Amino acid sequence: MTSFNVIRWIVWKDFVTELRSRETISSMVFFALIVILIFSFSFSMDQQAAREVIAGIMWVAFAFTGIIGLGKSFSTELQNDCLEALQMVPEAKGAIYLGKVAANFAFMFLVEILLFPMFVILFNLEVVEEISLLLLVFFLATVGLSAIGTLFSALTVQIRAREVMLPILLLPLVVPVMIAAVEATKGALNGDPLAMYEQWLELLVIYDVVFTVVSFWMFEFVMDS
Amino acid sequence: MTIHRVIRKVQRFEGWFGGGAVLCLVAGLYLGLIGSPPDYYQGEVVRIMYIHVPLAHTSLLGYTVLAVGSLWYLWKRDPIVDNMCQAVAALSAVFTALALGTGMIWGKPTWDTWWTWDARLTSFTVLLLILIGYLMLRTFVDDPEKEARYGAILAIVGFVDLPIIHFSVEWWRTLHQPQSISMRGVSISSGLLVPLLFMSVGMSLLFSYMLMVRTQLLYLDRLLHAKKGRLLSQFHLSKFDS
Amino acid sequence: MIACHGIGKTYGHFQVLRDVNLAIAEGECFALFGPNGSGKTTLLKVLATLERPSTGHFEILGMHGLKDKEAIRANLMFLAHGTHLYDELNARENLAFALALRGHHPTDRDVKRALDRVTIGAFADMKVRHYSAGMKKRLALAKTMLANPKILLLDEPFTALDTAGTEILREYVRERLSDNGTVLLSTHDYDKTRPIASRAGILRHGALQETAIEELQSDDLV
Amino acid sequence: MTNLYIRWGGVCVVAIVLIVLTYNHYRDNLANLAPRQVKQEAPAGDIRVLGMVQGGTLETHGAGEATFTLLGESASLQVQYEGPPPDNLRELKILILIGRWNAATQVFEARDIGIVPNYGFIAGAYLLGLLPLALLLFAMNRRVNFLYDEIKTSKLYEEE
Amino acid sequence: MPGKKKIGMVVSILLVGGALGYLALGNFGENVVYFFTPSEVKAFTTDYYQKKVRVGGMVVEGSMETYPDRLGLTFQLTDGEATIPVTFEGIPPDLFKEGQGAVVEGYWTGEHRFESNLIMAKHSEDYMPIELKRAGVELPRKDFMKSLVE
């Protein structure tokens, strides 16, 4: 099981690097806090109004912090040309992809878990009942974002203007994730009956499956000429 | 290099495509603007359909060609297929933008708004954004081999994403009328259908013709630059040897 | 064993390599000279399966360079200009990670011996971030030693290395050659290369000219 | 190059013929009057009046008869409609009425109802749809010709 | 190894194709609550009261009434089985009229009235000349509710 080993080592390396430098997660959290702050300036909200727009604000914050994390994920590989070493790994590239997806997913999910209480406190939400459903939505949407985001992070890191191109290429492609995540989050926060938004959960599952598989194969062509 | 030969063969009929496009479009325009009656409900404005619907269809056709060509490129690595992909992306982007534009003009008198975040408008906008991203991506890579490869990856991922985007925005909100021509039958009366068919065929022919011209353009461009580059290197070498 | 057949590479409108033909047998060390921008690094990257040649093809150990990339990579190390080291990891972790990706799991004793051989054993638990350029180069060399590949590609290996480091590197190259390995190195430094290279060639504007190493003059190499 | 210009000249001629034909076909429908003009000028014969059906004034009597008030910008008209069963008659809708103005009773006697034709939108859509395509194609054709010439004259061409 | 890769590829294509097919063709479209029908609205439990929902149906002929003094109207929306009263504030879209389909967005109140602030009129996908329409020609119509869904 060498490919499983590769996955494990990639995740290990990303975690140790992150633990020692704390660059990615701290910048993600800080950026998200600024987003929350700016949104709280631009909307003066009572609780009812907050419920309408909070899901959108939340996912805007999550998506942009996620893009910061995804961009970092491969741009750290550029120091000392480590990317070349990854490209020269004899194993199939899919293992590297899965390792990177796992690491990126973990970082993004961790940041979302850290930020969610902030939203609850700052926007006066009541969520105690629906917390497990919300976590499920976060989980599914983050899998989708990191699956396709990892592919494009690896792609854009090898071109000019990479910081600009990652969101330009990624955001149109994750439109379904954003719509589904926002609608499902809104439903859960409103305490709507599950029947009203379970379709969005199914859409997220479909998206996750499709893009994990497609990106897995495409990653080979990103890393390998 | 079989595809090379096929392309060369098709290119020979380029003129037929162009001529056919002009004939069909002229017939379609005459029928659409003069020969066909107004709709019972929308009145004269329905004539915008004859230009809007073919543009939209053709841009989707273009995206399909792009995805198939990209797969082909990743498999065979034939540079002329990549030239075709680049050409079809640019043309699809233009056709999509024009479909959106004419759709907006149709929306004003019928829905009383230039723009609404309706399902099909949204998904076409996303399609346009993906195509523009594709074209931008290609300008940011120095190595033509990498440029082609990355472009192909984006095109394939985008193509797989297209139905999901379509469904997600469709459930999210929809206002656009359903398709008039579908597996369940045609709900356009013949007087209005004939010009639409003419315009559709004409627009597809026009698209194919433009695609051929543009592929040729990019191929010649590449050829010229390659030759020039080779001459440049030769010049350096000869200077060095003397 | 390396064999190139008419390799060419174009970047945009610029032709970096033109029709490079080259054959290096087992136990041979080929030195690639040439001014800056002549395409040395590009040639090495093509052979390291990092870039796809625009024209031509090549074989390494009898395996097709575009079809059997994975098998080639298992038998090849590329000591590139970048050292392929992670700044936040220490020397041991860097070695463990890089080799694990290649499917090797060296024992602690092997690691210690390799680090001692490049004389950085004392800094084994220090983050690479605090290393000097020469130390990084030595650590990369230790990594190569542990992987022990049949084919060794060295991109300007003597830069940043002091006299002692150069000697360690040359010693290792000799060891590989006596073990029937193949070495291709690009360099500007005629004097440091002379003792190990068995053949040499000059790249000029992407075209390779093979010459006997004795005939090279150092002003040729500017 | 001359071939190219001849071909595109032909396309332009066809386009102009189409435009002229279309304009002729619709010339009669282009003139509309506002309710204010009708009241002031009291034109005789068939006229076309454009306005909005005022809310709460529509009364239908049978299939093909109705009375309502047509609201213009600064004036309104009493309308009596007699004709084929109207499909598009509803309150708060902008319409074109075809009929005659009875100056004696101050009632507009409509015999047909048309939808606002919005020719401007149609012309705009067709121009927007076709003009950029034509320009783009023309530019590409010219560029291809230019490239062929360039490759020929600079003696760069050889079979690859 | 190539054999393994081939199996992986086939499995992947099946997975992607299956997921997309499920999305496009499966009965997924049917249990999507894009909008409720009036009969479903009538059966709402209190959970759904005051929740923003969409209801699709046909505007009952002759049920439309406008307010003389302000913009807005009331009408009945039906799906053939149940009929609900709808009140609407604002200017209705140009295509909205009796006997046509409409999707309204708003709240179902406890008093069994639907308060809407957004009407999405569907202009039907039928196109025909006015002479034919007056002659009473009907195009082969599809199931009405189905035409709303798609």
Side-chain angles (χ1 to χ4, degrees), chain E residues 55-68:
Chain E
V55 184
M58 174 105 79
V59 183
V60 177
E61 293 268 7
S63 69
M64 199 170 91
E65 281 170 36
T66 45
Y67 302 117

Side-chain angles (χ1 to χ4, degrees), chain D residues 8-96:
Chain D
W8 279 92
V11 171
C12 286
V13 169
V14 171
I16 289 169
V17 168
L18 265 175
I19 292 173
V20 170
L21 278 178
T22 316
Y23 179 73
N24 271 338
H25 189 251
Y26 290 108
R27 206 170 37 188
D28 299 343
N29 296 354
L30 286 175
N32 295 316
L33 294 177
R36 187 176 49 82
Q37 285 172 301
V38 176
K39 278 201 162 166
Q40 283 174 356
E41 298 164 14
D46 267 6
I47 51 169
R48 299 162 57 83
V49 186
L50 183 132
M52 186 174 90
V53 183
Q54 196 175 2
T57 61
L58 180 64
E59 282 172 39
T60 49
H61 323 282
E65 282 176 50
T67 58
F68 53 90
T69 309
L70 191 72
L71 207 57
E73 260 179 28
S74 55
S76 55
L77 285 182
Q78 285 297 317
V79 180
Q80 181 155 23
Y81 174 76
E82 254 189 274
D87 269 305
N88 301 303
L89 193 56
R90 92 171 153 67
E91 291 170 352
L92 304 180
K93 187 168 169 102
I94 300 172
L95 293 172
I96 287 186

Side-chain angles (χ1 to χ4, degrees), chain D residues 70-148:
Chain D
L70 191 72
L71 207 57
E73 260 179 28
S74 55
S76 55
L77 285 182
Q78 285 297 317
V79 180
Q80 181 155 23
Y81 174 76
E82 254 189 274
D87 269 305
N88 301 303
L89 193 56
R90 92 171 153 67
E91 291 170 352
L92 304 180
K93 187 168 169 102
I94 300 172
L95 293 172
I96 287 186
L97 299 177
I98 301 156
R100 47 200 305 148
W101 172 243
N102 190 334
T105 55
Q106 293 282 307
V107 169
F108 186 79
E109 292 164 359
R111 58 175 172 75
D112 204 355
I113 291 175
I115 307 162
V116 184
N118 289 316
Y119 291 120
F121 288 110
I122 300 175
Y126 275 81
L127 283 183
L128 179 69
L130 293 175
L131 209 57
L133 289 185
L135 288 178
L136 176 65
L137 186 55
F138 178 66
M140 292 195 313
N141 263 336
R142 253 180 47 145
R143 174 96 182 130
V144 166
N145 275 350
F146 168 78
L147 281 174
Y148 268 124

Side-chain angles (χ1 to χ4, degrees), chain C:
Chain C
M1 196 210 121
I2 301 173
C4 307
H5 308 287
I7 287 191
K9 178 80 192 171
T10 357
Y11 280 123
H13 306 150
F14 194 73
Q15 191 152 27
V16 188
L17 289 178
R18 32 195 336 276
D19 195 31
V20 173
N21 289 297
L22 176 66
I24 311 171
E26 283 173 7
E28 253 186 345
C29 174
F30 192 96
L32 203 56
F33 292 95
N36 295 130
S38 60
K40 296 190 299 292
T41 302
T42 308
L43 181 58
L44 287 178
K45 279 190 176 175
V46 167
L47 291 176
T49 68
L50 282 172
E51 307 234 355
R52 174 181 279 260
S54 310
T55 55
H57 63 102
F58 62 96
E59 277 144 34
I60 289 180
L61 296 169
M63 293 177 285
H64 194 284
L66 296 178
K67 288 175 190 156
D68 304 322
K69 277 187 231 164
E70 275 147 29
I72 290 177
R73 284 172 188 154
N75 291 301
L76 177 147
M77 273 302 264
F78 177 38
L79 206 58
H81 215 69
T83 47
H84 302 174
L85 298 170
Y86 291 95
D87 281 348
E88 294 300 327
L89 304 182
N90 65 29
R92 281 179 206 285
E93 288 161 341
N94 257 310
L95 290 180
F97 176 71
L99 291 164
L101 290 194
R102 297 178 61 88
H104 297 293
H105 296 283
T107 60
D108 284 352
R109 253 187 56 213
D110 289 342
V111 170
K112 191 171 175 344
R113 201 173 332 135
L115 287 177
D116 284 340
R117 190 167 166 193
V118 296
T119 66
I120 52 171
F123 309 103
D125 294 318
M126 192 160 108
K127 272 190 193 178
V128 169
R129 176 180 295 288
H130 306 303
Y131 274 32
S132 73
M135 286 160 77
K136 283 184 188 173
K137 203 90 187 181
R138 285 174 190 227
L139 182 52
L141 184 59
K143 190 166 76 187
T144 313
M145 286 169 175
L146 284 167
N148 223 11
K150 286 219 178 68
I151 309 282
L152 196 53
L153 305 177
L154 308 171
D155 192 8
E156 309 206 358
F158 304 118
T159 47
L161 278 184
D162 54 15
T163 327
T166 307
E167 195 40 56
I168 296 169
L169 175 69
R170 283 200 296 226
E171 188 51 44
Y172 177 65
V173 168
R174 279 192 204 104
E175 185 192 308
R176 292 306 316 137
L177 292 177
S178 65
D179 203 17
N180 267 341
T182 308
V183 179
L184 173 61
L185 62 88
S186 79
T187 179
H188 293 291
D189 202 322
Y190 178 74
D191 297 327
K192 284 180 181 170
T193 317
R194 178 78 180 82
I196 45 169
S198 40
R199 285 164 62 205
I202 304 181
L203 262 182
R204 276 189 188 127
H205 295 286
L208 181 70
Q209 235 177 352
E210 208 175 312
T211 37
I213 195 158
E214 294 80 15
E215 287 172 15
L216 279 173
Q217 303 295 318
S218 41
D219 52 313
D220 267 351
L221 310 174
V222 180

Side-chain angles (χ1 to χ4, degrees), chain A residues 55-143:
Chain A
I57 293 175
M58 209 142 95
W59 280 102
V60 166
F62 289 168
F64 281 94
T65 50
I67 281 175
I68 289 184
L70 289 167
K72 276 242 175 246
S73 162
F74 273 91
S75 61
T76 50
E77 304 285 348
L78 283 182
Q79 50 169 247
N80 296 330
D81 290 340
C82 289
L83 195 65
E84 282 180 4
L86 289 186
Q87 284 171 320
M88 286 180 62
V89 168
E91 278 300 311
K93 296 291 177 294
I96 297 179
Y97 169 74
L98 292 179
K100 277 288 185 187
V101 168
N104 287 336
F105 168 79
F107 293 155
M108 282 168 74
F109 198 61
L110 187 67
V111 170
E112 283 164 17
I113 299 297
L114 283 177
L115 285 174
F116 182 63
M118 296 281 172
F119 279 99
V120 173
I121 294 166
L122 294 176
F123 293 95
N124 299 314
L125 304 173
E126 299 155 16
V127 283
V128 192
E129 288 170 33
E130 307 288 346
I131 193 77
S132 55
L133 259 173
L134 267 177
L135 283 179
L136 180 66
V137 174
F138 286 3
F139 175 85
L140 290 174
T142 310
V143 169

